[in-house]
């Protein structure tokens, strides 16, 4: 029997939502976009999901495949680089020697060494890997997002998955990806679905165009080396009540239910024609929900847990991601480093060795262990990817003291774990110098299909653009590991 496609109708807000909307107005929490009241599919259900949640770790800038998960020790010196591979827990699987903690946990993760797309520029690469579409939409502008962009994976998840509890189905943390010139990178938003479907951004990190990495201890500049992280803080969202407004006063205001009930018809009508801040209902609920508030509290975690993850931006971000999926968020995109953090055109070997690999290796390993220890790894798909890989051949920029690698869309390595992915497997391969797929080439569409399938989104489900035109989400086949 064919399963009916969930419809994308915009249901009227419920009585409870109307009451909360009125309370929001009384609190003065602001007016804005209405999408959270209108976005959920009205009927039909997806098939049983392979995973409850997905954590998409994004390494903006471009991780070198050769210097991480696809070493080429037998390649000529100008290709193989300075790093030596080490054995992992899995026989025959070798990775960079500066990822020792992940090497010890290879039974928990697998790697695709053959993901490929045709673009070598940051904006195009980000758009491709954050939307799961290798083609560039008409009117694409690398200088910033446009309404014609494809919707991001996070936006599609937020639009098509039901909300659990107080939190949205999808969030992005700890910051938007912004170029050092100040332009916002396209591919992160709702695009053709409209701004009301932008994902929920939890912005805890201060934007700095001149420093990168995991502050405070691993903050660096690509050319100048280590930078001071003193004074840098990971700012957790504040869901406390405004000064002078206690919970009793809030309850007294919400107790105006009779008055709000009289306005229910007006509110439901207004929900279709006016704007209402889509985060206000969530914020209001969080004021009295200690369990959900704790999902955002990383600094209050057990000191031993903080030490496992690392007391830095990478560790705090992945710890928050674990806490959020445990609370019910379906997809969390974690940007490990601001835009260009992994863009090592020069000094690639000391930058990876001293500033990037240590906190990433520790934080991702801790995440896998934590999910495993809590019985959550089987129901949480973890993906780690970049917008592209790096050129197989090392080069030195004019004026640079140390060599690096350039942008390279032709091949990159992607780590996957949990959510039905077996540990210790390798999908695909690259050629002898790590420049192109040699077997089982995979695409961003295949990676997106893997994520959608894990979340239980059926192959015939559609999203609507702002004109009401339906679009499919599957353009590839889910990855299959032996």
């Amino acid at each position: 029997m064919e399963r009916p496609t969930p419809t994308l109708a915009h249901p009227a807000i419920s009585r409870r939502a109307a009451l909360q909307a009125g309370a929001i107005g009384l609190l003065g929490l602001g007016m804005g976009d209405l999408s959270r009241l209108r976005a959920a599919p009205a009927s039909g259900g997806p098939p049983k999901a392979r995973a409850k949640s997905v954590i998409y770790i994004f390494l903006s800038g471009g991780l070198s495949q050769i210097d991480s998960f696809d070493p080429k020790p037998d390649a000529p010196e100008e290709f193989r680089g300075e790093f030596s591979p080490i054995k992992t827990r899995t026989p025959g699987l070798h990775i960079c020697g500066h990822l020792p903690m992940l090497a010890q946990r290879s039974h928990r993760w697998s790697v695709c060494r053959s993901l490929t797309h045709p673009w070598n520029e940051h904006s195009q690469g980000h758009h491709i890997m954050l939307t799961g579409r290798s083609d560039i939409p008409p009117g694409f502008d690398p200088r910033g997002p446009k309404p014609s962009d494809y919707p991001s994976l996070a936006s599609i998840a937020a639009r098509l998955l039901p909300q659990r509890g107080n939190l949205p189905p999808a969030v992005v943390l700890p910051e938007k990806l912004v170029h050092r010139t100040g332009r916002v990178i396209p591919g992160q938003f709702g695009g053709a679905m409209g701004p009301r479907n932008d994902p929920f951004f939890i912005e805890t990190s201060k934007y700095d165009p001149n420093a990168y990495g995991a502050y405070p201890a691993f903050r660096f500049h690509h050319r100048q080396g280590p930078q001071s992280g003193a004074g840098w803080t990971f700012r957790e969202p504040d869901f406390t009540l405004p000064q002078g407004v206690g919970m009793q006063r809030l309850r007294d205001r919400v107790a105006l239910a009779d008055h709000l009930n009289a306005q229910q018809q007006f509110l439901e009508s207004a929900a279709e024609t006016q704007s209402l801040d889509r985060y206000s209902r969530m914020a209001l609920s969080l004021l009295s929900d200690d369990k959900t508030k704790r999902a955002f509290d990383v600094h209050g975690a057990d000191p031993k847990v903080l030490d496992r993850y690392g007391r830095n931006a990478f560790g705090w971000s992945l710890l928050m991601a674990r806490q959020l999926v445990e609370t019910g968020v379906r997809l969390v995109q974690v940007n490990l480093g601001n835009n260009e953090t992994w863009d090592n055109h020069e000094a690639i070997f000391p930058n990876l060795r001293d500033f990037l690999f240590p906190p990433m290796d520790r934080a991702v390993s801790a995440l896998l262990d934590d999910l495993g220890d809590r019985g959550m790894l089987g129901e949480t798909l973890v993906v780690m990817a970049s917008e592209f890989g790096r050129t197989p051949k090392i080069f030195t920029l004019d004026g640079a003291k140390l060599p690096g690698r350039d942008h390279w869309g032709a091949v990159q390595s992607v780590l996957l774990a949990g959510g039905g992915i077996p540990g210790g497997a390798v999908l695909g391969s690259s050629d002898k110098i790590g420049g192109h797929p040699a077997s089982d080439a995979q695409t961003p569409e295949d990676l997106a299909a893997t994520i959608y399938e894990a979340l239980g989104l059926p192959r015939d489900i559609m999203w609507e653009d702002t004109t009401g035109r339906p679009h499919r989400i599957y353009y590839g086949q889910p990855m299959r590991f032996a």
Side-chain angles (χ1 to χ4, degrees):
M1 179 177 177
E2 184 176 352
R3 183 179 295 276
T5 301
T7 61
L8 300 183
H10 298 314
I13 61 176
S14 66
R15 179 174 179 272
R16 181 180 180 185
L19 293 175
Q20 288 188 324
I24 289 165
L26 292 172
L27 281 171
L29 296 180
M31 304 293 287
D33 194 288
L34 181 60
S35 62
R36 281 269 47 86
L37 300 182
R38 304 174 64 185
S43 64
K48 182 175 176 59
R50 290 174 51 218
K52 289 183 178 179
S53 302
V54 172
I55 297 176
Y56 184 12
I57 304 169
F58 193 72
L59 308 182
S60 177
L63 172 67
S64 170
Q65 68 281 3
I66 297 172
D67 304 307
S68 59
F69 296 102
D70 192 11
K72 301 294 180 181
D74 298 326
E77 183 178 358
E78 64 268 28
F79 297 100
R80 68 173 180 262
E82 296 182 6
F83 297 157
S84 298
I86 58 172
K87 296 179 180 179
T88 69
R89 182 168 175 169
T90 304
L93 177 59
H94 296 73
I95 63 173
C96 172
H98 295 289
L99 297 171
M101 299 183 76
L102 282 172
Q104 295 168 8
R105 292 160 177 80
S106 62
H107 62 295
R108 294 193 184 275
W109 55 264
S110 290
V111 61
C112 170
R113 288 174 167 170
S114 57
L115 192 134
T116 182
H117 66 70
W119 296 91
N120 294 330
E121 296 301 326
H122 285 296
S123 288
Q124 288 87 343
H126 279 81
H127 189 278
I128 287 168
M129 291 300 295
L130 294 177
T131 66
R133 297 283 298 274
S134 296
D135 59 314
I136 299 299
F140 178 80
D141 188 346
R143 296 171 296 181
K146 295 189 69 176
S148 55
D149 290 345
Y150 297 136
S152 67
L153 298 169
S155 292
I156 287 178
R159 179 69 178 85
L160 299 181
L161 292 170
Q163 181 171 327
R164 292 178 175 174
N166 298 321
L167 294 173
V171 302
V172 180
L173 63 94
E175 58 193 330
K176 292 187 181 76
L177 295 171
V178 181
H179 188 266
R180 58 183 174 81
T181 60
R183 65 178 175 84
V184 179
I185 301 300
Q188 309 176 70
F189 307 101
M193 284 199 300
R196 69 187 186 191
N197 291 298
D198 288 349
F200 186 95
F201 288 90
I202 302 173
E203 300 195 72
T204 64
S205 294
K206 176 183 176 182
Y207 170 68
D208 186 335
N210 298 310
Y212 309 90
Y215 62 85
F218 297 97
R219 187 167 175 257
F220 76 104
H221 185 279
H222 284 107
R223 175 167 291 189
Q224 300 168 3
Q227 302 284 298
S228 172
W232 276 60
T233 58
F234 192 81
R235 301 169 297 177
E236 300 166 346
D238 183 7
F239 292 112
T240 59
L241 286 166
Q243 185 175 3
V245 180
M247 283 307 302
Q248 186 57 51
R249 186 178 176 189
L250 173 62
R251 294 189 183 99
D252 290 342
R253 293 185 177 190
V254 176
L256 297 174
D258 291 342
H259 174 69
L260 294 177
N261 282 339
Q263 300 184 37
Q264 180 180 349
Q265 184 175 0
F266 166 76
L267 286 169
E268 291 181 348
S269 175
E272 294 299 324
T273 59
Q274 300 180 19
S275 292
L276 178 67
D277 187 344
R278 65 185 177 136
Y279 302 140
S280 295
R281 289 190 304 136
M282 187 190 76
L284 179 64
S285 298
L286 287 173
L287 294 174
S288 58
D289 189 337
D290 291 336
K291 178 181 178 182
T292 307
K293 282 192 289 186
R294 284 196 295 271
F296 296 93
D297 180 15
V298 295
H299 296 304
D302 187 309
K304 293 181 180 179
V305 173
L306 289 171
D307 289 341
R308 287 174 63 187
Y309 277 86
R311 296 173 185 256
N312 56 65
F314 287 7
W316 296 323
S317 295
L318 288 183
L319 174 56
M320 183 179 288
R322 191 272 294 163
Q323 293 176 168
L324 287 169
V325 299
E326 194 170 32
T327 307
V329 178
R330 301 296 303 281
L331 187 148
V332 182
Q333 178 185 318
V334 183
N335 299 321
L336 286 193
N338 61 337
N339 179 245
E340 297 188 341
T341 280
W342 296 80
D343 191 29
N344 290 290
H345 289 280
E346 57 183 299
I348 185 171
F349 302 111
N351 285 346
L352 291 175
R353 181 189 65 231
D354 299 335
F355 306 116
L356 290 170
F357 280 163
M360 182 270 274
D361 187 39
R362 174 172 291 279
V364 176
S365 295
L367 174 67
L368 298 181
D369 286 349
D370 205 1
L371 291 171
D373 293 345
R374 293 171 179 270
M376 296 172 60
L377 187 58
E379 59 190 30
T380 306
L381 175 66
V382 178
V383 176
M384 184 165 68
S386 294
E387 70 264 38
F388 41 53
R390 311 299 298 186
T391 52
K393 190 170 184 179
I394 299 165
F395 76 106
T396 302
L397 289 171
D398 291 341
K401 296 181 179 179
L402 297 172
R405 299 185 193 266
D406 207 345
H407 311 162
W408 194 248
V411 72
Q412 67 166 294
S413 293
V414 177
L415 180 144
L416 299 98
I421 301 293
V426 177
L427 175 62
S429 64
S430 66
D431 58 27
K432 293 181 179 180
I433 61 171
H436 293 86
S439 66
D440 291 327
Q442 304 291 308
T443 67
E445 287 81 356
D446 298 327
L447 181 62
T450 306
I451 291 172
Y452 293 144
E453 182 188 62
L455 291 172
L457 289 171
R459 295 194 65 86
D460 56 358
I461 198 168
M462 309 286 278
W463 61 270
E464 290 180 354
D465 62 26
T466 54
T467 69
R469 180 185 176 190
H471 301 263
R472 58 196 172 105
I473 67 171
Y474 282 85
Y475 290 88
Q477 298 297 322
M479 295 179 176
R480 299 299 185 217
F481 288 80

